[in-house]
Amino acid sequence: MIMEKMVTLPYAFLHMRHLKYFDKMRCLRKRSAVSFLGVLVICLLFMNLYIEDGYVLEGDKQLIRETATHQLNPERYAHTYKDLSNFSGSINISYHYLAGMPLPRKRYLTIGLSSVKRKKGNYLLETIKSIFEQSSYEELKEITVVVQLADFDSAWCEGVVQDISQKFAHHIIAGRLIVIHVPEEYYPLLDGLKRNYNDPEDRVKFRSKQNVDYAFLLNFCANLSDYYVMLEDDVRCSKNFLTTVKKVITSREGSYWVTLEFSKLGYIGKLYHSHDLPRLAHFLLMFYQEMPCDWLLIHFRGLLAQKEVIRFKPSLFQHMGYYSSYKGAENKLKDDDFEEESFDIPDNPPANLHTNMNVFENYEASKAYSSIDEYFWGKPPSTGDFYVIVFEKPIKINKIKVVTGTEDRQNDILRHGALEVGEKTVGSKIGRKCTTYLRLGEFKNGNFEMTDVEHKVLFDISCMRILVTKSQKEWLIIRSISIWTSQISNQ
């Protein structure tokens, strides 16, 4: 039995296929990022100015058509461009429930997949199987998997739903697996689109429809959980990937981010706050014919003021398909940073970090404590220089590991240093510090590692300090600081 769900879409998009200006724009080839961003700003401006209360006046449509066919100066309109926050409403389309129903309780993470019929190979069932098999019983309680069957071949959809229902019936009953479909009538114009980048017409149609597929999927998932991760339908997962994702999110607490990346390939393993999904859905719809989705995501991230990629290593998801969903072409891409087996990711509880060392450019102290592949870099340290971590709450530590230097800069290690822990803090919240420290040991070959710390330190630890015990001529890179906790103190 097919059930439907209705959510809200501006009138303008539902009638986008009736706007004729697409043909006029074929000859406009945007060859630089500046010109693209100019058009992007103007499109956002006019959408914001003219789309109100769910309708667009005919005169306004004409103005948009006329404006879109001219080269525009983004500086002229910069003062009126705000941001994407006005595009936070849901999209009005009808979703067909092919299997499963959302539960009223919000989960921690929604995993979204969009799938179409392939000319060669079919990896969807293996992908779903990997998600569930690589998750523990406790992890399964915190995830929802949403599969969108985005092909217009109803016979194919029915066959896939039957296979999914037979193999994963208990997950559907438990509310962990939902299969949806959006009818073709809700899609915009997919023929005669602009051939950017000299792509053949069928390639443009494929990638443009894919953008719309993802937009509809994101829109559906916006209120199901706190976070959302996008996968493709030919992916293998690492063991206990959810636990790793949670640790990474916790380690970023207090810092701003739009997208966290857990794979370097395509639209695999990209994590978002669920509250950003409506904006991202609208963004993909607005520029669905401009470029592939993974390129659009870079622009979306930048517009929301995250300029740098934040990518976690090792990767949690691996591309396993051999044939692409586009014309069955070979696709042998692999993520060489992927590790399938469970690995011991540190907890790195929330903390304030500071140093008195001379920091080089933007390699600040926080980057050594991050779970992302980045590091602290300072100019030659002197005796008595320090790098201090002040935890938000006293903790019990099981293991500590500090690595200095990198493969490219093996001389930039801490040659003479010690690691110390402190018990009680004094001062205000911003300026808190420990007055006394207990020395745990010395750095050897630029590294420090100790296990069973809770059996060697009898107090709850409030601070941890890396102390330079002798000046050195070489610069210092602190590549990573990893802390595994045994429990959080109640004090």
Side-chain angles (χ1 to χ4, degrees):
M1 179 178 180
I2 294 177
M3 302 187 69
E4 297 188 0
K5 172 187 176 184
M6 295 292 296
V7 282
T8 304
L9 172 71
Y11 175 96
F13 180 73
L14 290 178
H15 292 74
M16 190 176 293
R17 69 182 66 192
H18 301 300
L19 301 180
K20 304 299 184 182
Y21 71 89
F22 292 103
D23 291 332
K24 296 182 181 180
M25 296 179 68
R26 288 184 188 176
C27 62
L28 296 178
R29 187 169 294 171
K30 306 300 185 268
R31 300 194 179 191
S32 67
V34 173
S35 59
F36 171 76
L37 289 177
V39 172
L40 184 150
V41 169
I42 299 310
C43 288
L44 288 174
L45 168 66
F46 279 98
M47 292 291 288
N48 188 33
L49 288 175
Y50 294 104
I51 298 177
E52 295 180 3
D53 300 326
Y55 65 92
V56 179
L57 300 178
E58 290 301 318
D60 296 334
K61 290 182 184 178
Q62 179 64 28
L63 179 59
I64 293 175
R65 286 197 295 270
E66 293 174 354
T67 305
T69 59
H70 293 82
Q71 182 67 36
L72 299 171
N73 178 10
E75 295 180 359
R76 178 180 175 186
Y77 300 99
H79 65 286
T80 60
Y81 174 69
K82 298 178 181 178
D83 55 27
L84 284 167
S85 61
N86 292 325
F87 301 94
S88 56
S90 58
I91 300 170
N92 183 16
I93 51 178
S94 176
Y95 292 92
H96 289 184
Y97 286 95
L98 304 183
M101 290 285 288
L103 294 179
R105 181 179 69 85
K106 246 187 176 183
R107 302 292 179 97
Y108 183 83
L109 180 70
T110 297
I111 302 165
L113 304 89
S114 183
S115 186
V116 295
K117 181 170 63 175
R118 295 170 180 260
K119 290 190 175 182
K120 293 182 180 180
N122 191 329
Y123 313 98
L124 177 60
L125 297 180
E126 286 300 312
T127 299
I128 299 172
K129 179 181 177 182
S130 179
I131 293 171
F132 291 135
E133 284 191 347
Q134 297 290 64
S135 302
S136 68
Y137 177 73
E138 292 301 317
E139 289 172 328
L140 289 175
K141 295 178 182 179
E142 300 189 73
I143 66 174
T144 296
V145 179
V146 178
V147 177
Q148 176 181 234
L149 299 183
D151 203 279
F152 299 143
D153 184 337
S154 59
W156 177 84
C157 290
E158 290 173 5
V160 173
V161 170
Q162 185 175 2
D163 289 340
I164 291 175
S165 299
Q166 289 175 351
K167 294 179 182 296
F168 306 105
H170 59 297
H171 292 297
I172 294 173
I173 293 171
R176 285 191 289 269
L177 178 59
I178 305 167
V179 184
I180 61 172
H181 174 74
V182 177
E184 185 176 3
E185 65 192 77
Y186 291 98
Y187 279 72
L189 185 70
L190 293 174
D191 292 311
L193 303 180
K194 293 185 298 180
R195 291 180 58 186
N196 292 347
Y197 317 109
N198 277 330
D199 280 349
E201 188 172 345
D202 58 347
R203 174 67 181 176
V204 172
K205 181 176 181 178
F206 171 82
R207 61 171 170 78
S208 298
K209 179 183 177 296
Q210 189 176 58
N211 285 332
V212 181
D213 293 341
Y214 284 140
F216 290 163
L217 176 59
L218 292 164
N219 181 71
F220 179 87
C221 297
N223 296 310
L224 300 182
S225 59
D226 298 321
Y227 301 96
Y228 173 89
V229 66
M230 179 67 80
L231 298 185
E232 295 181 2
D233 64 349
D234 52 356
V235 167
R236 191 167 73 251
C237 306
S238 69
K239 189 74 174 177
N240 302 119
F241 65 88
L242 176 62
T243 297
T244 301
V245 167
K246 292 182 72 173
K247 286 188 175 184
V248 171
I249 291 173
T250 300
S251 74
R252 306 291 299 186
E253 191 173 301
S255 65
Y256 177 77
W257 58 270
V258 177
T259 310
L260 299 182
E261 302 189 10
F262 293 89
S263 171
K264 65 182 180 183
L265 300 179
Y267 205 174
I268 297 174
K270 306 303 184 281
L271 181 86
Y272 302 92
H273 297 276
S274 289
H275 59 69
D276 282 334
L277 297 186
R279 285 188 288 188
L280 179 53
H282 279 284
F283 185 77
L284 291 176
L285 286 179
M286 291 169 64
F287 303 104
Y288 75 102
Q289 64 170 316
E290 299 295 336
M291 60 184 65
C293 58
D294 43 338
W295 294 8
L296 284 174
L297 296 177
I298 296 173
H299 290 289
F300 178 79
R301 186 192 73 214
L303 284 170
L304 294 186
Q306 180 191 317
K307 303 302 181 185
E308 302 296 330
V309 174
I310 304 176
R311 187 164 77 85
F312 174 81
K313 290 183 182 180
S315 298
L316 301 183
F317 307 100
Q318 177 66 286
H319 178 259
M320 68 175 175
Y322 184 78
Y323 296 105
S324 169
S325 53
Y326 172 62
K327 298 178 71 173
E330 289 188 5
N331 183 1
K332 300 179 182 180
L333 284 176
K334 296 295 180 184
D335 189 337
D336 52 13
D337 293 324
F338 173 73
E339 290 186 13
E340 185 165 6
E341 291 305 312
S342 180
F343 43 88
D344 195 12
I345 182 173
D347 299 297
N348 282 19
N352 294 315
L353 304 99
H354 60 273
T355 180
N356 68 338
M357 293 182 231
N358 192 351
V359 180
F360 176 62
E361 294 185 351
N362 64 337
Y363 293 88
E364 59 262 17
S366 61
K367 294 193 172 182
Y369 194 64
S370 169
S371 56
I372 311 301
D373 188 26
E374 50 191 6
Y375 52 82
F376 163 81
W377 198 4
K379 296 181 180 180
S382 302
T383 303
D385 283 352
F386 57 80
Y387 178 109
V388 174
I389 302 172
V390 182
F391 301 107
E392 289 187 0
K393 297 178 181 179
I395 60 173
K396 292 186 180 296
I397 295 179
N398 172 259
K399 178 181 175 181
I400 300 171
K401 183 178 181 180
V402 181
V403 179
T404 68
T406 64
E407 293 180 2
D408 295 334
R409 298 185 178 275
Q410 298 182 14
N411 288 328
D412 291 358
I413 64 173
L414 181 56
R415 299 178 179 277
H416 303 281
L419 192 135
E420 303 173 332
V421 293
E423 179 179 6
K424 294 181 179 179
T425 60
V426 296
S428 62
K429 183 175 181 179
I430 298 178
R432 286 189 311 127
K433 62 180 182 180
C434 289
T435 55
T436 58
Y437 283 89
L438 171 68
R439 181 164 297 188
L440 294 184
E442 308 288 329
F443 277 75
K444 295 181 180 179
N445 299 319
N447 300 322
F448 178 91
E449 184 169 358
M450 178 177 286
T451 58
D452 297 323
V453 177
E454 73 271 29
H455 297 141
K456 301 167 184 175
V457 179
L458 301 181
F459 54 82
D460 292 342
I461 296 172
S462 296
C463 306
M464 193 176 90
R465 179 170 72 178
I466 299 171
L467 183 68
V468 178
T469 55
K470 185 178 179 180
S471 301
Q472 63 184 57
K473 296 180 180 179
E474 297 79 13
W475 289 34
L476 173 61
I477 289 176
I478 303 180
R479 182 176 180 178
S480 63
I481 299 173
S482 303
I483 296 173
W484 290 263
T485 59
S486 51
Q487 69 181 72
I488 302 295
S489 171
N490 294 323
Q491 293 184 7

